[in-house]
Amino acid sequence: MFTRKNSRVTSPLMTVNKVRKPCFLLSVLISILVIFSNGVEAEIRTNKVTNIGAIIDVNSRIGKEEKTAMEMAVQDFNDISTNHELSLHFRHPGGDPLQVAYAAEELIKEKKVKVIIGMDNWEEAALVANIGNQYQIPILSFATPAITPPLTTVRWPFLIRMASDGSEQMRCIAALVQCHNWRKVVVIYEDNAYGGESGNLALLSEALQEVGSEIDHRLVLPPFSLSTDPEDDVQHELIKLQKDTESRVFIVLQSSSPMLTCLFREAKNMGLVGRDTAWIVSNSVTSFLDSMNNSVISAMGGTLGIQTYYSSSSSYQRFEAQFRKIFRAEYLDEDNFLPGIQALRAYDSIGMVTRAIEKSGSDSTSPKMLLNSVLGSDFTGLTGEIHFKDGMLSQAPILRIVNVVGKKYKELDFWLPNFGFSETLHPEEGKERCSNSNVCNNTGCLAGPVIWPGDLNGRNPKGWAMPSSAKPLRIVVPKRTSFDKFVTFQTGEALPEGFCIDVFNEVVERLNYSLPHEFFEHDGLYDDMIEGVYNKTYDAAIGDITILAERTKYVEFTQPYAESGLSMIVPLENEDSTWIFTKPFNLEMWIVSGAIFIYTMLIVWFLEHQSNPDFRGPWKFQIENALWFLSSSLFFIHSEKLYSNFTRIVVVAWLCVVFILTASYTANLTSMLTVQRMEPKFSEYKNYQINHLTVGCDNDSFVQNYLEKVLGFQKEKIKIIDHENDYPTEFERNNIAAAFLELPYEKVFLNKYCERYTSTEGTFRFGGFGFAFQKGSPIASDFSRVILRLSEKGTLTTLEERWFAPSPECSATVPHNNVESLSLRSFKGIYIVSATISTICFLLVLIPLVRNSRNHQEASIEGNVTPSGKSGSSKGGGISKYLYNGDKTRIPRRASTFAQALDTDVWVSSRWERVSNSDNLDNHQDSAQAEIEMP
């Protein structure tokens, strides 16, 4: 029974086992197939995955944006790619570049990355580039050195710089400084152990020098991560800055966000972000303005920022919408969710890698092929046109100028490479408002209005520590000068007075801002005053300060308000008047007058020779009569009678000349005899050197040095005169033979002593009188503009007339004014008229005479032939006969007076005989008489 029972029990179990065996085997088979298929699929996928390493600071705002953008780019590629998959591996090694290099090596060895992206500063990028050279892995850096080192592509062949150098940004900053007429600036940057800003400093310094400005002070802040008390460090540096420089134009080249927050808070509390200050922040600082809280943004109100421009295209708008959604969800502690230029750059860098992978078209891409594909990129990304040259972006970036206003910032203008400031991206040629190749106007180079720190009422900040009632302008004034009319302190008076002080007051009244000031006396040399302004003991120097090239090295001079130069004052003495009667005419005038006299005499003799008996007889007698006739006409005592009307015309013209000459001669001679003739003993300073004479000068050291080093006077031959009233005494005692005074002093001296002294014509020019300010002070340029206006309106002339009015003895005509001799230029016209009339009359007589002589000669040839068949000739001709007849005439009688001759209305005719002489002397015959009637 048990057996049965047992058999009954075991029978169902055996049945179940038989059923389960096939099922178990099937399950095992299916599992093996699934595992095998998954392994094959996993193997296939692994072969098509490209690992990308990223080294960024994921704790910073910039790092967060870059991480989000790269993840978006990888996801976009993986969603559409069928044969490749990108895998991102992030590393955050901190701020130590050595740790960055270690992280790069770890990514290459452990994660097998094909390319490494990131590195926001050049120190990290350079170290990672060395790792890339070692393992031949392309390194795509977001940073580039400000100044590209030589042979960069040879040193780091696998380095690709997804950025441009800082030269264009520095030129933009320099242009902003130029167009606002800021001469000195303060550069601020946060230090690091590797001197990362040295390149940008060099570029900025060079750009500023091109526009006439300079870096006056460098404020270097310690690294925020190493500072135990950042606020105290910043406050200490700002206090030192206030003592060392008056410049209030601050350029922040580089700073972390926490350090920037401390900087502006402390600067705001110390009044450095206020009236007449200007702040400019570079692109690296402006990039994280969006991430800063409202309190910091408010402290930065009025700051100008430089930003890299990117276009708001449709692709950017899609990217922005997706970025904001992801960034908001992942980083809840952030206030702003808009992407910056770093996010766009990170997105484009992944895009370059994916394009390089697709371009290779193979499952396994070698590092060299990937590198060449990336360097050959040529497409338009979110950041603009992307193509490389020498391992760096070839196209200089377009920059935007932004202005922090309230709790946000607004765009003002564009900066276009090789163009300058522009309102549009495609401006017309020649419409640039400011660039490095032209001059900016200081009325505003930016298109939009700038909101500056403090209330400036629409004007630009001076960029200088301007005076206030609490801290007025410290002005040094000379206590005593050689000439009191320029500047002096009256006894018991605290304020100076004089011409220079009046000019200063006129300028201050016309400035568009108040200028509180106080005066300080200086009893010493003028060079010591310049030294006081240079070492910042005083803010300015006012007085009769001469602008010299050596002095301009230390101070800033205004436009000169009075001309300056070195003039020589010498005593006057009476001039020798023995030959003064020859002085009314100069030598040229005497020579030409004599020539006209002789020419007129010959013309009168020729016209009167045949008809007037007074002009006949021997040649000597004729010349004497002609000379006497013309000489007597000079004094209107002539009595000779004229027979020819042509002669009368010539004589009338000559009498006009005589009348004008005698009147002019008499007037000029009278002036010379009336005015006392005075002249200096020596007209050139070299005469004093040759004769070893002593000369005097005022107590300004530069004049004495000029006499010694430039003019060559011996030091012992130079006497210092302390006051203007001492010069006449020194001259009278013969202690000095001449005095060297600057032109303004000369004018004052001669206005007082014009009767006894004069100045020579030779003058050694200087820069003029001006006011001196500290180097870079904008007050100097404001003073210069006002001084020019005062000069143009005649205000300076009015002040000179008020202070330098001549004494009563010198108010009339100066007694030693020399009367100049008359020159030919004054009488050229009357001489030409007289000579022309004489010549015309001579030709009117000569031409008929020549014509009749020819006719008579032809008739003689036809009618008179010698027996030998040869014709006779008139020996000497008609003209010779005309001149010859005079010799056979009797001794001429003296005619009636010349006046009677002019009154007669009778035309006198003269006749003479032409005698033809035969060539044969044995058959001499008288020739026929021919009558030639003379007018």
Side-chain angles (χ1 to χ4, degrees), residues 219 271 325 349 625 697-698 758 884:
L219 195 155
K325 181 179 179 181
S349 64
N625 277 349
C697 67
D698 59 22
T758 186
Y884 175 75

Side-chain angles (χ1 to χ4, degrees), residues 64-196:
K64 293 174 183 179
E65 290 186 14
E66 291 173 342
K67 181 176 181 295
T68 302
M70 284 192 282
E71 289 175 343
M72 290 173 56
V74 168
Q75 187 62 44
D76 291 343
F77 177 78
N78 289 340
D79 289 343
I80 62 174
S81 179
T82 58
N83 58 353
H84 270 86
E85 180 180 344
L86 300 181
S87 178
L88 270 174
H89 302 278
F90 290 99
R91 290 292 184 272
H92 170 52
D96 188 357
L98 296 178
Q99 293 296 324
V100 172
Y102 176 78
E105 191 170 11
E106 180 187 5
L107 286 172
I108 295 173
K109 289 181 178 180
E110 297 181 5
K111 299 301 180 181
K112 309 298 180 183
V113 296
K114 301 295 183 181
V115 62
I116 296 178
I117 303 175
M119 292 75 69
D120 287 306
N121 63 73
W122 173 244
E123 292 76 24
E124 297 176 355
L127 291 175
V128 175
N130 291 328
I131 303 299
N133 290 349
Q134 181 180 352
Y135 293 95
Q136 294 191 346
I137 296 297
I139 307 299
L140 195 57
S141 169
F142 294 155
T144 187
I147 301 176
T148 303
L151 303 178
T152 302
T153 56
V154 176
R155 185 176 180 183
W156 297 298
F158 285 87
L159 176 63
I160 305 169
R161 289 161 287 164
M162 186 67 177
S164 301
D165 60 27
S167 59
E168 199 63 41
Q169 182 180 194
M170 297 304 112
R171 280 194 287 266
C172 176
I173 294 175
L176 285 173
V177 172
Q178 179 192 16
C179 68
H180 292 97
N181 200 28
W182 298 324
R183 301 291 302 279
K184 292 192 175 185
V185 302
V186 176
V187 176
I188 303 174
Y189 59 92
E190 184 178 349
D191 190 20
N192 59 54
Y194 302 93

Side-chain angles (χ1 to χ4, degrees), residues 728-895:
T729 304
E730 297 294 334
F731 275 118
E732 292 170 1
R733 295 176 179 176
N734 292 324
N735 292 334
I736 59 174
F740 286 88
L741 299 178
E742 293 184 71
L743 288 181
Y745 303 151
E746 175 217 40
K747 185 175 182 179
V748 174
F749 185 81
L750 292 182
N751 281 344
K752 188 175 181 180
Y753 302 103
C754 61
E755 294 180 335
R756 292 181 286 168
Y757 304 96
T758 186
S759 62
T760 59
E761 295 181 358
T763 302
F764 307 94
R765 298 290 178 180
F766 300 130
F769 284 176
F771 303 139
F773 292 85
Q774 292 181 11
K775 276 283 189 179
S777 173
I779 304 177
S781 59
D782 293 340
F783 263 60
S784 295
R785 280 190 291 271
V786 177
I787 288 174
L788 288 176
R789 296 193 192 104
L790 293 176
S791 178
E792 293 168 359
K793 293 181 180 180
T795 307
L796 292 181
T797 303
T798 303
L799 292 177
E800 290 179 0
E801 293 173 352
R802 182 196 307 171
W803 281 98
F804 309 141
S807 61
E809 296 81 7
C810 302
S811 58
T813 304
V814 181
H816 59 266
N817 281 344
N818 293 330
V819 181
E820 295 182 357
S821 300
L822 297 175
S823 64
L824 178 62
R825 182 177 56 183
S826 304
F827 301 94
K828 187 183 298 184
I830 189 64
Y831 280 168
I832 293 175
V833 171
S834 176
T836 302
I837 293 175
S838 299
T839 304
I840 292 175
C841 292
F842 171 73
L843 293 176
L844 290 177
V845 173
L846 181 63
I847 293 173
L849 181 63
V850 172
R851 186 183 298 115
N852 292 336
S853 176
R854 287 182 178 178
N855 295 336
H856 180 69
Q857 186 176 3
E858 292 174 358
S860 298
I861 292 173
E862 293 176 359
N864 298 294
V865 180
T866 63
S868 60
K870 296 181 179 181
S871 62
S873 61
S874 176
K875 189 175 182 178
I879 298 178
S880 299
K881 187 66 177 179
Y882 173 77
L883 300 176
Y884 175 75
N885 283 345
D887 291 338
K888 300 191 302 181
T889 308
R890 66 188 181 279
I891 301 298
R893 60 179 177 82
R894 184 69 61 184

Side-chain angles (χ1 to χ4, degrees), residues 555-574:
V555 295
E556 191 88 21
F557 278 103
T558 64
Q559 183 77 14
Y561 58 86
E563 67 172 337
S564 178
L566 199 60
S567 180
M568 188 172 68
I569 305 296
V570 294
L572 287 169
E573 63 179 6
N574 291 327

Side-chain angles (χ1 to χ4, degrees), residues 17-82:
N17 292 334
K18 291 179 179 180
V19 175
R20 286 180 176 178
K21 278 184 178 180
C23 295
F24 176 75
L25 293 174
L26 181 61
S27 300
V28 172
L29 179 62
I30 292 173
S31 299
I32 293 173
L33 291 174
V34 170
I35 293 172
F36 179 77
S37 62
N38 288 338
V40 172
E41 182 179 359
E43 185 178 357
I44 295 173
R45 278 192 173 182
T46 302
N47 291 334
K48 293 186 178 181
V49 171
T50 300
N51 294 315
I52 299 176
I55 301 178
I56 58 176
D57 182 8
V58 295
N59 294 326
S60 66
R61 166 72 187 207
I62 293 176
K64 293 174 183 179
E65 290 186 14
E66 291 173 342
K67 181 176 181 295
T68 302
M70 284 192 282
E71 289 175 343
M72 290 173 56
V74 168
Q75 187 62 44
D76 291 343
F77 177 78
N78 289 340
D79 289 343
I80 62 174
S81 179
T82 58

